[in-house]
Amino acid sequence: KATKQYLLKEYAKLPLAMKCIQPEQIPSMEQYKEIILYGDETSPKTQEKLTEYLQKHDSLKVQLSFFDNKNDFTCKDEQTIAYAELQKALFFCKRKRIPLLFVSVKEMVNDIRFLNMLEESYVDFRCIDFPWFCKENLRLIKAVVLYKKLQTK
């Protein structure tokens, strides 16, 4: 669990001047032919969004798909997320030099551990349901999450 000292230390590392990159200014995915998918793609609505995204970026093909199921028996609270599959996905992305596409980052975006893993991996990533969630905006998103957590502690 993140302590207040840890959060303050992480927050202090962030630069004072940061700007958000708008979705239309994010570098395109045209340079890639394959992606690795992370998330639950079983619902019809999610499949529809995924198909729409892949058609918009017609050169992209899903090479591998990963998803961490929350196991109710091992989770002590709702915020706990197992990241074994995410670590595998990041490993493959780094090794094959292809981006990671998140189906959704709902509760994960508020987890500092998740954001640190993405930052340390240096992997390019995008998200279907949250277009601002990309490598270019990661530090800004992390700053907001850290600030929010510091305010609640």
Side-chain angles (χ1 to χ4, degrees), residues 47-80:
Q47 287 177 347
E48 182 183 319
K49 285 183 178 182
L50 178 60
T51 304
E52 184 181 308
Y53 187 91
L54 293 174
Q55 285 174 348
K56 183 179 173 186
H57 301 90
D58 59 333
S59 62
L60 290 177
K61 304 288 180 249
V62 176
Q63 188 180 44
L64 292 169
S65 183
F66 295 92
F67 179 57
D68 281 308
N69 286 316
K70 279 209 298 191
N71 185 345
D72 294 330
F73 301 109
T74 60
C75 285
K76 292 185 174 122
D77 61 86
E78 290 180 18
Q79 289 293 324
T80 305

Side-chain angles (χ1 to χ4, degrees), residues 95-107:
R95 187 172 188 135
K96 296 180 181 274
R97 295 189 175 126
I98 57 178
L100 183 62
L101 179 63
F102 289 96
V103 173
S104 177
V105 288
K106 291 178 185 172
E107 68 261 1

Side-chain angles (χ1 to χ4, degrees), residues 35-135:
I35 56 163
I36 290 182
L37 189 66
Y38 180 84
D40 185 6
E41 55 184 310
T42 56
S43 77
K45 188 176 179 181
T46 304
Q47 287 177 347
E48 182 183 319
K49 285 183 178 182
L50 178 60
T51 304
E52 184 181 308
Y53 187 91
L54 293 174
Q55 285 174 348
K56 183 179 173 186
H57 301 90
D58 59 333
S59 62
L60 290 177
K61 304 288 180 249
V62 176
Q63 188 180 44
L64 292 169
S65 183
F66 295 92
F67 179 57
D68 281 308
N69 286 316
K70 279 209 298 191
N71 185 345
D72 294 330
F73 301 109
T74 60
C75 285
K76 292 185 174 122
D77 61 86
E78 290 180 18
Q79 289 293 324
T80 305
I81 303 165
Y83 290 119
E85 293 297 309
L86 177 61
Q87 289 175 347
K88 288 179 197 175
L90 290 170
F91 171 78
F92 280 108
C93 287
K94 200 170 191 177
R95 187 172 188 135
K96 296 180 181 274
R97 295 189 175 126
I98 57 178
L100 183 62
L101 179 63
F102 289 96
V103 173
S104 177
V105 288
K106 291 178 185 172
E107 68 261 1
M108 293 185 295
V109 78
N110 292 318
D111 190 352
I112 299 301
R113 212 171 42 139
F114 167 73
L115 298 172
N116 284 340
M117 284 174 64
L118 286 176
E119 190 174 39
E120 291 166 4
S121 72
Y122 299 105
V123 167
D124 195 9
F125 60 89
R126 302 287 190 284
C127 183
I128 293 173
D129 72 344
F130 184 23
W132 286 271
F133 191 71
C134 63
K135 184 178 174 182

